[in-house]
Amino acid sequence: MRYQLPYAMLASVAALIFALVALPTVTMAQSVNDIISRGKLIVAIDTTTPPYGFLDEKLEPTGFDIDVAKKMGEALGVPVEFVTVTSPGRIPSLMTGQVDAVISIFSITPQRAIQVDYSNPYAGQSAVVIAPTGTQIASHEDLVGKKVGVTRGTAEDGILTAASEKLPGIEMLRFDDYSSLLQAMVSGQIDAMGGGDYGEIYLKKAQGGDAFEQKYPLKTYYFGIGVAKDNHNLRQWINTWLLGMKSDGSLEDLSMQYRGQPLPALPVF
Amino acid sequence: MQNLQFGPVFAHSDAFIDGVISTLVLAALSIFFGTMIGLLGAIGRSYGPRILSAPIGAYVEIIRNTPLLIQLYFVFFTLPLVGIKLSSNWAAIVALSIHLGAYAIEIIRAGIDSIPQGQIEAAKSLGLRPYRIVRHVIVVPALKAVYPSLTAQFILQIMGTSIVGAIAAEELTAIANNLVMQTFRSFEIYIVIAMIYFVIVQSASLLFAGIGRLLFQWKA
């Protein structure tokens, strides 16, 4: 009994030393050559964001983002190791060097770009107004006199609520989650809804969901591949690789496969 | 401890007032309709023929054994498929009334069962007509006996209105949730609405006690 305490102390001191020695080595930005000589590409993903990242029947990660990561590994000639992160964990995973890249619906914003660097957009998603095929809706004005559903607190809620304040007669119905919103649309309790541009693929699975279409976009978000700040070497390679993915139609194919529709026009910067 | 800032919350006090009004209207209408269902249902279940009492029993069992949230979803999302489309607020009132009705039937029926058979026989032997027997000898004493349980159920009903935001009805809690998303002052907003609910429910308790004294002045 008496010797257990020193051993435990010794172990924790050893762990501390190991952590101090090990940490600085992993925080170094990995160049393309480092990744190839290490023999694997480490990518942060999120498996709770269908259709971009989710788990398939065998509980293997799959989705648009996961396939992009796999294709990146193929291009580099190395296998991909996935690290699952939550949405707030994306930036820290790059800053601590746990991963080489983040491919996880990582919207490009100026605030985030202070801490990490982004590739050119490889995908984009719009918040759109969705309504039955027969109705004529092309702008906020056409929503006057209609019931418009949104999920409480989303970007669509903000944009459409602002519109309803300028245009009295737009009746806003706010639901607690996306499934209630879709159900309200399918059961005809609302005339139009604000949602993601992939919303149709879920509507089409619901009963009578074929009769809906996207009417007009509210706002478009662009997803970039995140790399550690100032890792220009890797970022430049990713941008070059993305050019090929766009020009040979690979990205477009992935979008049709997972999102059921083409990508929006992707700007470069 | 987080720094509490109530300024952004009170800037939206008109929204809270709207919410309180909606909550009170939802509660008052559903308590009224629910009690009517309860009264008629209890009489029907106790004295009606089997063809009447059996469906009432089934209704009571179905409602009391399913969650209120599912009943709300059913009225709002499923009834439109058979052509009955109610707005969020009306769907909430219908679902809440149906919900309270089932509980009220059971509570009032317990009161009716507590009336001694001899009291009814005495009324009959005095030559009272059936309507007067039901009203004065059965229902009023039954209601008096179960009035505390009934008002406890009414209080639960007032608090039950807080979940109807799930079908986009705008009441106090739903409006508070909207404000949380706008101001991100969740702590302050939930503290404020908790206090508002406390005041509403306390006032309602006093009101029900006062009504009880007025209605049941005499000694049975």
Side-chain angles (χ1 to χ4, degrees):
Chain A
M1 282 304 279
R2 175 194 308 185
Y3 290 105
Q4 276 186 349
L5 189 65
Y7 274 123
M9 276 177 69
L10 206 65
S12 49
V13 168
L16 195 69
I17 291 167
F18 177 79
L20 287 172
V21 172
L23 265 178
T25 59
V26 294
T27 49
M28 276 176 61
Q30 302 288 324
S31 71
V32 176
N33 278 332
D34 293 338
I35 291 168
I36 292 171
S37 56
R38 187 217 282 144
K40 67 181 177 190
L41 171 69
I42 308 174
V43 178
I45 54 161
D46 186 350
T47 52
T48 63
T49 55
Y52 295 93
F54 54 101
L55 296 174
D56 65 12
E57 296 84 6
K58 293 176 212 137
L59 299 181
E60 293 289 324
T62 185
F64 186 98
D65 284 344
I66 280 73
D67 276 13
V68 168
K70 284 178 181 162
K71 285 191 183 292
M72 186 172 156
E74 277 169 30
L76 287 166
V78 293
V80 183
E81 182 180 308
F82 290 117
V83 175
T84 307
V85 296
T86 57
S87 149
R90 291 175 297 189
I91 290 177
S93 74
L94 284 174
M95 293 181 81
T96 57
Q98 291 169 16
V99 300
D100 302 318
V102 168
I103 307 182
S104 173
I105 56 167
F106 204 14
S107 296
I108 300 173
T109 70
Q111 292 78 18
R112 287 174 180 166
I114 294 170
Q115 292 169 298
V116 299
D117 278 349
Y118 281 103
S119 73
N120 283 321
Y122 67 94
Q125 180 181 306
S126 301
V128 296
V129 170
I130 297 171
T133 323
T135 48
Q136 287 296 320
I137 294 173
S139 66
H140 292 332
E141 282 75 21
D142 296 331
L143 295 175
V144 173
K146 292 196 159 58
K147 290 182 177 177
V148 182
V150 291
T151 312
R152 213 185 292 284
T154 54
E156 304 89 84
D157 186 3
I159 294 166
L160 288 168
T161 299
S164 74
E165 279 158 10
K166 282 195 203 111
L167 296 165
I170 302 181
E171 189 184 341
M172 296 294 297
L173 275 79
R174 297 179 190 84
F175 293 89
D176 291 335
D177 51 49
Y178 199 59
S179 57
S180 297
L181 174 63
L182 292 178
Q183 196 53 54
M185 185 81 257
V186 171
S187 60
Q189 286 286 10
I190 51 177
D191 303 310
M193 60 173 267
D197 61 3
Y198 58 86
E200 280 170 274
I201 61 175
Y202 295 108
L203 272 177
K204 279 176 179 146
K205 284 182 188 169
Q207 192 183 351
D210 289 328
F212 299 98
E213 64 179 11
Q214 294 175 22
K215 296 297 186 183
Y216 65 98
L218 296 168
K219 186 175 182 178
T220 302
Y221 302 88
Y222 296 104
F223 305 142
I225 297 177
V227 298
K229 192 77 195 157
D230 295 329
N231 190 351
H232 303 307
N233 180 295
L234 180 58
R235 193 175 63 90
Q236 185 56 40
W237 180 84
I238 291 174
N239 280 339
T240 312
W241 164 70
L242 278 178
L243 176 69
M245 290 282 286
K246 286 180 198 169
S247 50
D248 70 4
S250 311
L251 274 181
E252 215 46 67
D253 290 346
L254 285 179
S255 181
M256 294 308 293
Q257 182 184 344
Y258 288 106
R259 292 160 28 90
Q261 61 193 312
L263 288 166
L266 297 175
V268 293
F269 61 89
Chain B
M1 186 65 190
Q2 179 187 355
N3 212 351
L4 293 183
Q5 289 184 17
F6 286 95
V9 179
F10 292 125
H12 293 95
S13 51
D14 51 338
F16 282 109
I17 291 168
D18 286 349
V20 169
I21 292 170
S22 311
T23 292
L24 290 179
V25 169
L26 282 173
L29 286 177
S30 66
I31 286 173
F32 175 77
F33 291 127
T35 310
M36 290 299 115
I37 294 172
L39 203 53
L40 297 175
I43 295 170
R45 199 176 179 189
S46 297
Y47 298 111
R50 193 158 169 75
I51 197 157
L52 191 64
S53 64
I56 293 173
Y59 155 70
V60 167
E61 290 310 314
I62 289 169
I63 297 300
R64 295 211 312 163
N65 291 298
T66 52
L68 175 57
L69 185 61
I70 304 302
Q71 293 160 13
L72 282 169
Y73 283 158
F74 188 83
V75 171
F76 189 70
F77 292 129
T78 313
L79 287 189
L81 300 180
V82 294
I84 304 170
K85 200 186 276 184
L86 298 167
S87 74
S88 292
N89 286 326
W90 278 111
I93 290 168
V94 167
L96 287 168
S97 303
I98 290 173
H99 182 77
L100 177 62
Y103 285 87
I105 286 175
E106 279 304 89
I107 292 170
I108 296 172
R109 194 174 68 111
I112 290 174
D113 285 352
S114 76
I115 305 293
Q117 199 60 34
Q119 188 170 313
I120 300 166
E121 281 164 8
K124 278 179 184 163
S125 64
L126 284 172
L128 262 63
R129 275 165 305 172
Y131 167 76
R132 297 202 56 186
I133 294 177
V134 168
R135 182 174 162 192
H136 295 293
V137 180
I138 300 170
V139 170
V140 172
L143 280 181
K144 182 177 160 65
V146 297
Y147 189 72
S149 329
L150 205 53
T151 54
Q153 195 63 44
F154 293 167
I155 296 294
L156 284 176
Q157 182 79 356
I158 296 173
M159 292 189 271
T161 60
S162 63
I163 66 163
V164 303
I167 56 166
E170 298 271 294
E171 43 66 63
L172 187 55
T173 305
I175 286 175
N177 282 333
N178 292 344
L179 290 178
V180 167
M181 293 300 190
Q182 282 169 30
T183 63
F184 297 102
R185 293 267 150 216
S186 52
F187 239 50
E188 293 87 335
I189 288 170
Y190 291 135
I191 288 171
V192 168
I193 67 160
M195 291 193 296
I196 294 175
Y197 274 115
F198 184 82
V199 171
I200 291 176
V201 171
Q202 267 302 314
S203 318
S205 299
L206 291 173
L207 181 71
F208 292 141
I211 292 174
R213 281 196 189 174
L214 279 178
L215 285 180
F216 307 114
Q217 284 168 335
W218 73 94
K219 290 201 159 64

